[in-house]
Amino acid sequence: MGSTREKLICHPATPPKAVRSIWIDLEYFIEDAAYGHFNLDYEVICDAAQIVLPPADGRWQIPPTATDELWRSTCFELFTRSRRREEYFEYNFAPDGRWASYRFAGYRDFAANVDLPPHNIEIARGVSGFSVSVSPPFLPIAGPKTLLGISAVIEERDGTKSYWALRHPTGQPDFHHPDCFALMLGAPDPA
């Protein structure tokens, strides 16, 4: 079991207008070499009125369900990969309660959708922005030496999109790139 607080970095090619910073609070428990449990709290410091979010009254326009292409709007993401394998998993969480789960055999080599039960996704608004808390069920993690990529896409009402991650590769935003897997869980390999 462990926890960490990390700051996401905005990709320099996608500057936001309304977002000042994004923080992630992560609690995790690695069940075994195949599964882990994660509680993720994404804290977005911003003018929330300028961000594409679900209605403030809590009524979702779309029922919470597994949905593809969530990255096209405000979306929070978790990637997991073993240090020793090319296979990795991608999990997307929308503030309206929708989610997506995928397995890749290698870099952008889609293998399958991952069938998981509903995730618990909650949004809270405050004076300095909003937060999205995610408590998914146990997730496939692809190994005991797990590398995480944590990221976010924020869409503003004027169409501005900014891309945030623990680390970015050179070039355009690419959350699938190995450089984005910047947080390691578990003990490092001996030298």
Side-chain angles (χ1 to χ4, degrees), residues 1 18 30 77 155 167 182 186 191:
M1 178 121 181
I30 304 304
E77 302 183 352
E155 183 179 11
R167 184 181 303 147

Side-chain angles (χ1 to χ4, degrees), residues 42 45 84 87 96 98 101-102 104 112 120 122 125 127:
Y42 295 87
I45 310 302
R84 297 190 176 136
E87 176 186 52
D96 64 5
R98 295 176 295 155
S101 306
Y102 310 103
F104 292 83
N120 182 23
E122 297 178 359
R125 291 170 171 81
V127 295

Side-chain angles (χ1 to χ4, degrees), residues 67-82:
T67 306
D68 290 329
E69 298 189 353
L70 295 176
W71 53 268
R72 293 189 179 274
S73 189
T74 301
C75 174
F76 300 89
E77 302 183 352
L78 172 69
F79 290 79
T80 66
R81 179 173 72 84
S82 168

Side-chain angles (χ1 to χ4, degrees), residues 81-86 142-147 184-185 187-190:
R81 179 173 72 84
S82 168
R83 290 186 60 194
R84 297 190 176 136
R85 288 190 264 168
E86 294 296 314
K145 305 280 188 200
T146 300
L147 296 171
M184 187 175 82
L185 306 182
D189 289 332

